[in-house]
Amino acid sequence: MSMNRREFMQMLAVAAAGGMSLHSGFARAQQAAAALYDMPAFGNVSLLHMTDCHAQLLPIHFREPSVNLGIGNMSGKVPHLVGEHLLKHFGIRPGSIEAHAFTCLDFVEAAKTYGRVGGFAHLATLVKQLKASRSGALLLDGGDTWQGSATALWTKAQDMVDACKLLGVDVMTLHWESTYGAERVKEIEEKDFAGRIDIVAQNVKTTDFEDPVFKPYVIRNINGVPVAIVGQAFPYTPIANPRWMTPDWSFGIQEQGMQEAVDAARAEGAQVVVVLSHNGMDVDLKLASRVTGIDAIFGGHTHDGMPAPTVVDNAGGKTLVTNAGSNGKFLGVMDFDVRDGKVADFRYRLLPVFANLLPADPDMAAFIDKVRAPFLEKLGEPLAVTEGLLYRRGNFNGSWDQLIVDALIAEKDAELAFSPGFRWGTSLLPGDTITMEHLLDQTAITYPWTTLTEMSGEMIKTILEDVADNLFNPDPYYQQGGDMVRVGGLQYTCDPTAPMGRRIDDMMLKGRRIEPGKTYKVAGWAPVAEEARDSGPAVWDVVASHLRAQKLVTQQALNLPELKNMSGNPGMGF
């Protein structure tokens, strides 16, 4: 399928007009459609970027965060802006289709107006058009692609591997992919991707002789310009995820290794050097200030949908730092004008993928139908109806997370519960039926076991302090890029500005202070220790049982900490 620009714009108009019957307010989307996707080609080197799709093949709703706190010198800076602060910073008109794409403002009503986002069939249409209008354009995948859905889990990522080949991915890096195990990742690289898709990761080496596990970079020729793509896999994979799944691989930020890879690519003739990163944006910003010779970093992991790049100064010049959101909701488009062996100018846009405005690509739609067909009955099982909005994204808690911890407490007969600070997972609107597929969108991992542990009050505080430091350490290199562990049954205060070990205080359970020496029953899931394998039933079975009994999920107040010293922080919208 190849279209010229006029044919594509005509197709958008037809799609927008067809969507008007969905909601009276959709006329606004029709008016915005042409401008949204009208991006004339520029320069002579084009790179498309997707990241953190978390195996979402179908269009979904996805609410952006209302809390994304920046601490210290990161306060008030990208990416730690939410809501109206983000709109003002990037000059986006409130109430517009772009405002819905990039913020959580008026989310429910805007979602009804503009419809679902993402979906590989709609993304494929946009990718094909952009590649057709930009000679030699490459599609870069920042990782977290093979995990996040039931079908990805049940097929051991094969659905996403085949979908990415069909989409036209050229180069990718890794994070959650590693949770299928080292053997499976290498099998895909050496068989499915051979001659089609390169996996790059300069920071992944063997633990014995420090040999590279993947190519550190690849050089592709685009319209006569040698372009290097250096890979940076998630540096904290063995900490954030089970070490036993990749026992012979080491990760880390590897700043010196990055400089060496960039220098080697330049020495090999690369006129443009970009980094395909899964560091998280704060880490990328620091890396860009310390490593020279990088023209742009295409970042992922922290799911930050940034409408424009951040320009970072370093000893060698300037580096553009971008981040392209998550869940198939966005596609980044970077056009470089390369002259006399270096980048002279650029254009960048992060395009929201609105399913109502982009017709489904027939080949991708047929593939998705085929790969889902064996699982439809199980995926479609209705579990309950939600009275309120269900979402996950945010530093401290989301209504999906609240549902999970409430279910763990009830089903495991626990006093309190912990749930990981995961950012992936689709959103449901009030009145939607929660299906097994929706539940698995929040929980589909390869180590899903639930736990019930006796913990001292001192240990509970230690856990909270440790996770808080991962989130709020003033040095980005010591952050692990997750959000705060979700807590059920426990109230506490949090001062993100305090030093390590002193951020968490006033821990209360049912009106009584948590005692350091007292033991409490704590439910949880997703244990990373190998000895915890098969420790209890999978979390989706536990939560599904709870939902079947509930039938109606009532609107629950979120169990949020009381924050100290955060007044006026533009990363806080609640």
Side-chain angles (χ1 to χ4, degrees):
M1 178 181 179
S2 179
M3 300 169 285
N4 62 36
R5 180 168 170 266
R6 176 178 294 178
E7 292 169 337
F8 182 66
M9 300 311 294
Q10 289 174 341
M11 187 171 61
L12 290 181
V14 171
M20 288 182 67
S21 62
L22 296 176
H23 193 275
S24 60
F26 200 82
R28 286 180 290 163
Q30 182 190 20
Q31 295 167 0
L36 195 63
Y37 298 116
D38 185 10
M39 189 175 177
F42 173 82
N44 51 356
V45 169
S46 294
L47 299 170
L48 314 180
H49 177 224
M50 56 175 274
T51 190
D52 297 272
C53 77
H54 285 285
Q56 294 302 316
L57 289 174
L58 297 180
I60 60 167
H61 292 297
F62 185 78
R63 177 189 180 275
E64 297 299 325
S66 56
V67 184
N68 186 358
L69 296 174
I71 305 303
N73 62 12
M74 292 173 280
S75 179
K77 297 181 181 179
V78 170
H80 302 287
L81 303 172
V82 300
E84 295 174 354
H85 300 288
L86 184 145
L87 298 184
K88 183 179 180 180
H89 179 84
F90 289 108
I92 299 172
R93 181 172 58 84
S96 65
I97 190 170
E98 292 92 345
H100 173 52
F102 291 107
T103 75
C104 66
L105 298 174
D106 302 315
F107 178 78
V108 172
E109 287 305 310
K112 292 176 181 177
T113 296
Y114 298 115
R116 289 177 167 82
V117 294
F120 262 50
H122 307 276
L123 179 62
T125 294
L126 187 57
V127 168
K128 286 184 177 181
Q129 166 57 18
L130 290 166
K131 281 195 169 186
S133 66
R134 287 160 165 76
S135 174
L138 301 179
L139 176 57
L140 311 182
D141 176 359
D144 279 5
T145 303
W146 307 348
Q147 176 276 333
S149 73
T151 55
L153 180 68
W154 295 337
T155 64
K156 296 183 179 179
Q158 195 63 49
D159 65 332
M160 296 310 301
V161 168
D162 293 339
C164 286
K165 289 165 62 178
L166 188 58
L167 186 64
V169 171
D170 295 287
V171 185
M172 76 172 295
T173 196
L174 307 169
H175 173 205
W176 273 93
E177 286 76 10
S178 297
T179 63
Y180 288 100
E183 184 177 344
R184 176 63 174 146
V185 174
K186 293 300 288 184
E187 176 186 38
I188 291 168
E189 180 194 35
E190 295 167 3
K191 295 181 180 179
D192 297 87
F193 283 179
R196 297 282 297 276
I197 300 175
D198 287 308
I199 297 177
V200 291
Q202 69 83 22
N203 61 326
V204 183
K205 300 174 183 177
T206 60
T207 55
D208 50 8
F209 298 110
E210 297 189 348
D211 294 324
V213 176
F214 304 100
K215 300 171 185 175
Y217 63 87
V218 293
I219 295 180
R220 299 289 188 92
N221 190 292
I222 302 177
N223 300 319
V225 178
V227 178
I229 301 99
V230 184
Q232 176 80 359
F234 181 53
Y236 296 109
T237 297
I239 300 171
N241 307 106
R243 183 77 184 93
W244 53 267
M245 292 179 167
T246 52
D248 301 321
W249 296 355
S250 66
F251 293 78
I253 293 172
Q254 304 293 342
E255 187 180 280
Q256 181 179 346
M258 175 63 73
Q259 186 66 71
E260 291 172 355
V262 171
D263 292 346
R266 292 285 184 188
E268 201 172 325
Q271 296 177 16
V272 177
V273 176
V274 301
V275 172
L276 183 58
S277 165
H278 205 90
N279 278 333
M281 191 162 180
D282 285 336
V283 177
D284 284 337
L285 291 168
K286 179 174 179 178
L287 188 75
S289 73
R290 294 167 62 88
V291 175
T292 61
I294 301 171
D295 292 298
I297 297 178
F298 296 95
H301 182 60
T302 38
H303 295 196
D304 301 306
M306 293 292 101
T310 299
V311 182
V312 178
D313 293 320
N314 55 57
K318 299 180 185 297
T319 297
L320 306 172
V321 177
T322 74
N323 199 290
S326 67
N327 286 269
K329 185 177 177 179
F330 298 103
L331 182 68
V333 185
M334 179 72 80
D335 295 326
F336 288 119
D337 182 16
V338 182
R339 302 180 187 179
D340 301 323
K342 62 181 181 180
V343 173
D345 201 356
F346 75 95
R347 298 288 185 274
Y348 179 82
R349 277 180 65 187
L350 185 59
L351 298 177
V353 180
F354 281 98
N356 283 339
L357 301 184
L358 292 164
D361 175 73
D363 293 338
M364 185 66 79
F367 165 78
I368 293 170
D369 287 344
K370 180 180 178 181
V371 79
R372 287 172 53 83
F375 310 110
L376 286 179
E377 183 176 355
K378 188 172 182 180
L379 292 171
E381 180 194 352
L383 300 175
V385 173
T386 178
E387 182 181 76
L389 173 68
L390 288 180
Y391 67 92
R392 171 173 268 172
R393 188 76 169 89
N395 279 164
F396 292 100
N397 206 351
S399 46
W400 258 117
D401 299 296
Q402 190 68 50
L403 187 157
I404 291 171
V405 293
D406 288 348
L408 287 170
I409 290 172
E411 298 293 316
K412 305 287 282 188
D413 191 25
E415 295 173 273
L416 57 111
F418 289 154
S419 185
F422 294 148
R423 274 182 298 270
W424 41 270
T426 61
S427 303
L428 294 184
L429 302 185
D432 282 352
T433 297
I434 305 170
T435 66
M436 180 60 79
E437 180 167 25
H438 296 139
L439 175 56
L440 282 157
D441 283 347
Q442 317 299 318
T443 58
I445 64 175
T446 54
Y447 51 106
W449 309 292
T450 52
T451 59
L452 184 63
T453 308
E454 290 191 348
M455 289 187 188
S456 68
E458 183 180 16
M459 177 57 70
I460 291 169
K461 185 177 190 297
T462 297
I463 291 171
L464 293 177
E465 290 282 7
D466 184 58
V467 180
D469 193 61
N470 292 340
L471 182 60
F472 298 124
N473 192 297
D475 186 342
Y477 279 8
Y478 289 94
Q479 299 171 7
Q480 294 178 18
D483 283 319
M484 189 65 183
V485 62
R486 281 57 169 121
V487 181
L490 177 73
Q491 288 74 48
Y492 65 98
T493 62
C494 177
D495 182 355
T497 67
M500 184 177 180
R502 294 169 55 188
R503 295 187 177 97
I504 307 300
D505 203 357
D506 300 323
M507 298 190 304
M508 305 290 289
L509 179 64
K510 295 180 179 180
R512 295 185 176 182
R513 186 174 294 275
I514 292 286
E515 300 176 27
K518 186 176 177 180
T519 298
Y520 301 87
K521 291 198 300 182
V522 182
W525 68 285
V528 298
E530 186 169 11
E531 55 268 24
R533 295 176 69 171
D534 300 311
S535 54
V539 64
W540 52 78
D541 288 332
V542 173
V543 179
S545 176
H546 183 72
L547 290 174
R548 293 186 190 106
Q550 294 286 103
K551 294 185 172 57
L552 177 67
V553 176
T554 57
Q555 186 76 59
Q556 298 287 333
L558 297 185
N559 189 37
L560 296 169
E562 177 186 344
L563 295 179
K564 297 182 176 181
N565 295 318
M566 287 293 102
S567 178
N569 190 299
M572 187 165 62
F574 71 80

